[in-house]
PDB file of all heavy atoms in Angstrom:
ATOM      1  N   LEU A  62      14.908  -1.328  12.766  1.00 60.00           N
ATOM      2  CA  LEU A  62      15.037  -2.715  12.328  1.00 60.00           C
ATOM      3  C   LEU A  62      15.319  -2.852  10.834  1.00 60.00           C
ATOM      4  O   LEU A  62      15.894  -3.819  10.394  1.00 60.00           O
ATOM      5  CB  LEU A  62      13.734  -3.463  12.674  1.00 60.00           C
ATOM      6  CG  LEU A  62      13.404  -3.559  14.154  1.00 60.00           C
ATOM      7  CD1 LEU A  62      12.055  -4.278  14.325  1.00 60.00           C
ATOM      8  CD2 LEU A  62      14.482  -4.279  14.911  1.00 60.00           C
ATOM      9  N   ILE A  63      14.837  -1.862  10.070  1.00 62.00           N
ATOM     10  CA  ILE A  63      14.998  -1.962   8.630  1.00 62.00           C
ATOM     11  C   ILE A  63      16.152  -1.073   8.204  1.00 62.00           C
ATOM     12  O   ILE A  63      15.954   0.109   7.894  1.00 62.00           O
ATOM     13  CB  ILE A  63      13.700  -1.545   7.881  1.00 62.00           C
ATOM     14  CG1 ILE A  63      12.520  -2.315   8.444  1.00 62.00           C
ATOM     15  CG2 ILE A  63      13.837  -1.774   6.406  1.00 62.00           C
ATOM     16  CD1 ILE A  63      12.566  -3.800   8.214  1.00 62.00           C
ATOM     17  N   ALA A  64      17.357  -1.592   8.260  1.00 62.00           N
ATOM     18  CA  ALA A  64      18.552  -0.826   7.852  1.00 62.00           C
ATOM     19  C   ALA A  64      18.962  -1.267   6.452  1.00 62.00           C
ATOM     20  O   ALA A  64      19.013  -2.459   6.155  1.00 62.00           O
ATOM     21  CB  ALA A  64      19.671  -1.089   8.847  1.00 62.00           C
ATOM     22  N   PRO A  65      19.273  -0.318   5.580  1.00 63.00           N
ATOM     23  CA  PRO A  65      19.677  -0.678   4.219  1.00 63.00           C
ATOM     24  C   PRO A  65      20.881  -1.628   4.238  1.00 63.00           C
ATOM     25  O   PRO A  65      21.878  -1.359   4.919  1.00 63.00           O
ATOM     26  CB  PRO A  65      20.063   0.679   3.588  1.00 63.00           C
ATOM     27  CG  PRO A  65      19.304   1.681   4.403  1.00 63.00           C
ATOM     28  CD  PRO A  65      19.239   1.129   5.786  1.00 63.00           C
ATOM     29  N   GLY A  66      20.768  -2.712   3.514  1.00 65.00           N
ATOM     30  CA  GLY A  66      21.844  -3.675   3.443  1.00 65.00           C
ATOM     31  C   GLY A  66      21.860  -4.692   4.555  1.00 65.00           C
ATOM     32  O   GLY A  66      22.612  -5.664   4.520  1.00 65.00           O
ATOM     33  N   GLY A  67      21.017  -4.498   5.573  1.00 69.00           N
ATOM     34  CA  GLY A  67      20.958  -5.416   6.688  1.00 69.00           C
ATOM     35  C   GLY A  67      20.248  -6.701   6.311  1.00 69.00           C
ATOM     36  O   GLY A  67      19.548  -6.793   5.305  1.00 69.00           O
ATOM     37  N   LEU A  68      20.387  -7.720   7.174  1.00 72.00           N
ATOM     38  CA  LEU A  68      19.772  -9.011   6.906  1.00 72.00           C
ATOM     39  C   LEU A  68      18.260  -8.913   6.855  1.00 72.00           C
ATOM     40  O   LEU A  68      17.631  -9.477   5.950  1.00 72.00           O
ATOM     41  CB  LEU A  68      20.196 -10.010   8.003  1.00 72.00           C
ATOM     42  CG  LEU A  68      19.622 -11.426   7.871  1.00 72.00           C
ATOM     43  CD1 LEU A  68      20.081 -12.054   6.556  1.00 72.00           C
ATOM     44  CD2 LEU A  68      20.063 -12.288   9.068  1.00 72.00           C
ATOM     45  N   LEU A  69      17.659  -8.189   7.798  1.00 69.00           N
ATOM     46  CA  LEU A  69      16.219  -8.053   7.818  1.00 69.00           C
ATOM     47  C   LEU A  69      15.718  -7.294   6.578  1.00 69.00           C
ATOM     48  O   LEU A  69      14.696  -7.676   6.003  1.00 69.00           O
ATOM     49  CB  LEU A  69      15.765  -7.326   9.093  1.00 69.00           C
ATOM     50  CG  LEU A  69      14.228  -7.197   9.252  1.00 69.00           C
ATOM     51  CD1 LEU A  69      13.571  -8.550   9.203  1.00 69.00           C
ATOM     52  CD2 LEU A  69      13.907  -6.456  10.546  1.00 69.00           C
ATOM     53  N   PHE A  70      16.454  -6.285   6.177  1.00 70.00           N
ATOM     54  CA  PHE A  70      16.061  -5.549   4.985  1.00 70.00           C
ATOM     55  C   PHE A  70      16.052  -6.449   3.749  1.00 70.00           C
ATOM     56  O   PHE A  70      15.136  -6.433   2.938  1.00 70.00           O
ATOM     57  CB  PHE A  70      17.020  -4.363   4.768  1.00 70.00           C
ATOM     58  CG  PHE A  70      16.750  -3.597   3.491  1.00 70.00           C
ATOM     59  CD1 PHE A  70      15.745  -2.653   3.448  1.00 70.00           C
ATOM     60  CD2 PHE A  70      17.484  -3.850   2.340  1.00 70.00           C
ATOM     61  CE1 PHE A  70      15.489  -1.945   2.282  1.00 70.00           C
ATOM     62  CE2 PHE A  70      17.239  -3.163   1.174  1.00 70.00           C
ATOM     63  CZ  PHE A  70      16.223  -2.206   1.128  1.00 70.00           C
ATOM     64  N   ARG A  71      17.098  -7.277   3.628  1.00 76.00           N
ATOM     65  CA  ARG A  71      17.159  -8.180   2.461  1.00 76.00           C
ATOM     66  C   ARG A  71      16.034  -9.202   2.518  1.00 76.00           C
ATOM     67  O   ARG A  71      15.455  -9.541   1.499  1.00 76.00           O
ATOM     68  CB  ARG A  71      18.534  -8.884   2.429  1.00 76.00           C
ATOM     69  CG  ARG A  71      19.693  -7.933   2.102  1.00 76.00           C
ATOM     70  CD  ARG A  71      20.922  -8.705   1.672  1.00 76.00           C
ATOM     71  NE  ARG A  71      21.407  -9.585   2.732  1.00 76.00           N
ATOM     72  CZ  ARG A  71      22.306  -9.203   3.637  1.00 76.00           C
ATOM     73  NH1 ARG A  71      22.782  -7.966   3.614  1.00 76.00           N
ATOM     74  NH2 ARG A  71      22.723 -10.035   4.570  1.00 76.00           N
ATOM     75  N   ALA A  72      15.730  -9.688   3.722  1.00 78.00           N
ATOM     76  CA  ALA A  72      14.670 -10.681   3.846  1.00 78.00           C
ATOM     77  C   ALA A  72      13.323 -10.064   3.473  1.00 78.00           C
ATOM     78  O   ALA A  72      12.523 -10.682   2.753  1.00 78.00           O
ATOM     79  CB  ALA A  72      14.620 -11.192   5.299  1.00 78.00           C
ATOM     80  N   VAL A  73      13.076  -8.834   3.945  1.00 73.00           N
ATOM     81  CA  VAL A  73      11.808  -8.172   3.600  1.00 73.00           C
ATOM     82  C   VAL A  73      11.751  -7.883   2.098  1.00 73.00           C
ATOM     83  O   VAL A  73      10.716  -8.038   1.458  1.00 73.00           O
ATOM     84  CB  VAL A  73      11.660  -6.864   4.395  1.00 73.00           C
ATOM     85  CG1 VAL A  73      10.496  -6.044   3.890  1.00 73.00           C
ATOM     86  CG2 VAL A  73      11.476  -7.163   5.890  1.00 73.00           C
ATOM     87  N   ARG A  74      12.896  -7.501   1.518  1.00 75.00           N
ATOM     88  CA  ARG A  74      12.939  -7.187   0.097  1.00 75.00           C
ATOM     89  C   ARG A  74      12.599  -8.433  -0.740  1.00 75.00           C
ATOM     90  O   ARG A  74      11.778  -8.371  -1.660  1.00 75.00           O
ATOM     91  CB  ARG A  74      14.299  -6.640  -0.306  1.00 75.00           C
ATOM     92  CG  ARG A  74      14.341  -6.162  -1.750  1.00 75.00           C
ATOM     93  CD  ARG A  74      15.693  -5.579  -2.105  1.00 75.00           C
ATOM     94  NE  ARG A  74      16.742  -6.578  -2.144  1.00 75.00           N
ATOM     95  CZ  ARG A  74      17.987  -6.324  -2.482  1.00 75.00           C
ATOM     96  NH1 ARG A  74      18.352  -5.093  -2.798  1.00 75.00           N
ATOM     97  NH2 ARG A  74      18.885  -7.286  -2.509  1.00 75.00           N
ATOM     98  N   TRP A  75      13.215  -9.559  -0.412  1.00 80.00           N
ATOM     99  CA  TRP A  75      12.958 -10.782  -1.154  1.00 80.00           C
ATOM    100  C   TRP A  75      11.523 -11.269  -0.939  1.00 80.00           C
ATOM    101  O   TRP A  75      10.859 -11.693  -1.870  1.00 80.00           O
ATOM    102  CB  TRP A  75      13.952 -11.876  -0.773  1.00 80.00           C
ATOM    103  CG  TRP A  75      15.274 -11.704  -1.476  1.00 80.00           C
ATOM    104  CD1 TRP A  75      16.373 -11.056  -1.028  1.00 80.00           C
ATOM    105  CD2 TRP A  75      15.611 -12.188  -2.782  1.00 80.00           C
ATOM    106  NE1 TRP A  75      17.376 -11.094  -1.962  1.00 80.00           N
ATOM    107  CE2 TRP A  75      16.946 -11.783  -3.044  1.00 80.00           C
ATOM    108  CE3 TRP A  75      14.899 -12.904  -3.748  1.00 80.00           C
ATOM    109  CZ2 TRP A  75      17.578 -12.075  -4.249  1.00 80.00           C
ATOM    110  CZ3 TRP A  75      15.556 -13.198  -4.938  1.00 80.00           C
ATOM    111  CH2 TRP A  75      16.865 -12.797  -5.179  1.00 80.00           C
ATOM    112  N   ALA A  76      11.073 -11.196   0.315  1.00 82.00           N
ATOM    113  CA  ALA A  76       9.696 -11.613   0.595  1.00 82.00           C
ATOM    114  C   ALA A  76       8.712 -10.712  -0.143  1.00 82.00           C
ATOM    115  O   ALA A  76       7.696 -11.195  -0.686  1.00 82.00           O
ATOM    116  CB  ALA A  76       9.428 -11.595   2.092  1.00 82.00           C
ATOM    117  N   GLY A  77       8.988  -9.428  -0.166  1.00 73.00           N
ATOM    118  CA  GLY A  77       8.119  -8.484  -0.877  1.00 73.00           C
ATOM    119  C   GLY A  77       8.088  -8.746  -2.357  1.00 73.00           C
ATOM    120  O   GLY A  77       7.016  -8.713  -2.995  1.00 73.00           O
ATOM    121  N   ALA A  78       9.251  -9.029  -2.948  1.00 79.00           N
ATOM    122  CA  ALA A  78       9.316  -9.324  -4.390  1.00 79.00           C
ATOM    123  C   ALA A  78       8.525 -10.590  -4.702  1.00 79.00           C
ATOM    124  O   ALA A  78       7.766 -10.651  -5.691  1.00 79.00           O
ATOM    125  CB  ALA A  78      10.759  -9.470  -4.829  1.00 79.00           C
ATOM    126  N   VAL A  79       8.696 -11.641  -3.883  1.00 85.00           N
ATOM    127  CA  VAL A  79       7.961 -12.878  -4.093  1.00 85.00           C
ATOM    128  C   VAL A  79       6.474 -12.624  -3.999  1.00 85.00           C
ATOM    129  O   VAL A  79       5.673 -13.162  -4.803  1.00 85.00           O
ATOM    130  CB  VAL A  79       8.402 -13.971  -3.083  1.00 85.00           C
ATOM    131  CG1 VAL A  79       7.478 -15.172  -3.130  1.00 85.00           C
ATOM    132  CG2 VAL A  79       9.837 -14.385  -3.369  1.00 85.00           C
TER     133      VAL A  79
END
Side-chain angles (χ1 to χ4, degrees):
L62 298 178
I63 308 296
L68 180 61
L69 183 56
F70 176 81
R71 291 197 298 270
V73 171
R74 186 178 69 176
W75 279 93
V79 170

